[in-house]
Amino acid sequence: MPTAMWWFIGASCAQLLCAAALLRTRGSEQAELAPQALALLRGGRLAAVTVALVALHQRGAVAAGRKGTIRANGGPGRTRDPVQLGVHGSLQRALGIRALAAHPKARRAVDELRGELDRAGLLRPLGRMRAARVLLLCTAATIPAGLLITTPTGTGLSLAGFVGAVPAVAALALLRLPATPRAARDLLAGLRERHPLPAHRREVTDGRLVQLYVALYGDPALALFLPRFSRDGGLLGQDGGDGCLAGRGRYVSGAAGSAAAGSEGAGSGGAGGGGPD
């Protein structure tokens, strides 16, 4: 194998190590998280905004508008939660959930929450994730570039391909790493185990628990506790669209699916803990 090919392999390994260092997270702080924070871990920005809307709707501060939008319905009520205040402050006019999540006030509030989760070791910082992905793509591309430039043949080609495949395959595997480290995924799994989605909305009378269920389960919990608000406000089918868990955002268990189907047809019957619906 040409000596120059070893330089390409060494460069590929160095890029891989730098990317792995960027993706490392420090030990997480096991503090009690607000429902918006749990939603952000599970399903990203849209999920966090959705839970904030649920809390505001429970106090009568927002309502479903026309054509799948959300509108303000008075003041935000007695809350100091930055995400709820940012979301409510964004509703100078009726907005769809995606436009609302992209509004500067709401976006800034969610970004601040994400920063707190970054510092707690429950999310990988976006800047580091982007830099790591660039390095991983370079890692995977360096070996083919080296083979084209050095043109090894025979045994040298086989050896270069075998050795060079190790960092390239590792880079492709790390590219699939979700933004949430294992500590965050274990936290969500533990909460779901302790708080399975109930079969009927009347089993829950605590509005805070409703927010927790929406944070953990997304659409099934929305359809169970707030069927009319979720449907008319265009919330269903949107939660988790930019999910941090890379495909794990739309968690649905068997009980959750059946509960959602039953409540969607129930309209606004039953008070439960969902607030005005």
Side-chain angles (χ1 to χ4, degrees), residues 66-88:
R66 301 175 62 182
K67 299 181 179 180
T69 60
I70 303 293
R71 60 178 175 83
N73 192 38
R78 299 177 64 181
T79 180
R80 294 184 177 180
D81 184 87
V83 178
Q84 294 179 31
L85 291 173
V87 167
H88 188 274

Side-chain angles (χ1 to χ4, degrees), residues 7 44 71 91 149 162 170 175 210 219 221 232 244 247-248 250 266:
W7 286 102
R71 60 178 175 83
L91 290 171
I149 292 171
F162 178 76
L175 278 170
V210 171
D219 281 0
D232 295 348
C244 288
R248 296 181 180 88
R250 297 174 64 79

Side-chain angles (χ1 to χ4, degrees), residues 51-147:
V51 172
L53 286 172
V54 168
L56 290 166
H57 180 66
Q58 288 173 333
R59 297 194 297 273
V62 299
R66 301 175 62 182
K67 299 181 179 180
T69 60
I70 303 293
R71 60 178 175 83
N73 192 38
R78 299 177 64 181
T79 180
R80 294 184 177 180
D81 184 87
V83 178
Q84 294 179 31
L85 291 173
V87 167
H88 188 274
S90 302
L91 290 171
Q92 286 87 13
R93 59 184 179 86
L95 294 172
I97 179 65
R98 290 186 178 274
L100 176 57
H103 191 281
K105 288 184 180 179
R107 190 175 189 87
R108 187 161 49 249
V110 176
D111 285 345
E112 290 175 0
L113 177 59
R114 183 187 174 90
E116 293 174 9
L117 295 175
D118 289 346
R119 292 187 289 274
L122 293 171
L123 273 180
R124 294 185 175 90
L126 281 176
R128 289 173 57 182
M129 284 283 291
R130 294 189 184 107
R133 284 170 178 162
V134 170
L135 284 171
L136 292 171
L137 289 172
C138 291
T139 299
T142 297
I143 299 302
L147 292 173

Side-chain angles (χ1 to χ4, degrees), residues 110-204:
V110 176
D111 285 345
E112 290 175 0
L113 177 59
R114 183 187 174 90
E116 293 174 9
L117 295 175
D118 289 346
R119 292 187 289 274
L122 293 171
L123 273 180
R124 294 185 175 90
L126 281 176
R128 289 173 57 182
M129 284 283 291
R130 294 189 184 107
R133 284 170 178 162
V134 170
L135 284 171
L136 292 171
L137 289 172
C138 291
T139 299
T142 297
I143 299 302
L147 292 173
L148 288 173
I149 292 171
T150 62
T151 61
T153 58
T155 305
L157 176 61
S158 300
L159 179 61
F162 178 76
V163 176
V166 176
V169 170
L172 293 175
L174 287 178
L175 278 170
R176 296 177 57 83
L177 201 66
T180 46
R182 180 174 295 277
R185 299 196 295 274
D186 290 345
L187 172 64
L188 292 174
L191 285 170
R192 289 190 189 110
E193 186 176 349
R194 293 196 298 273
H195 299 281
L197 194 63
H200 200 281
R201 62 189 292 178
R202 281 196 291 267
E203 296 179 26
V204 179

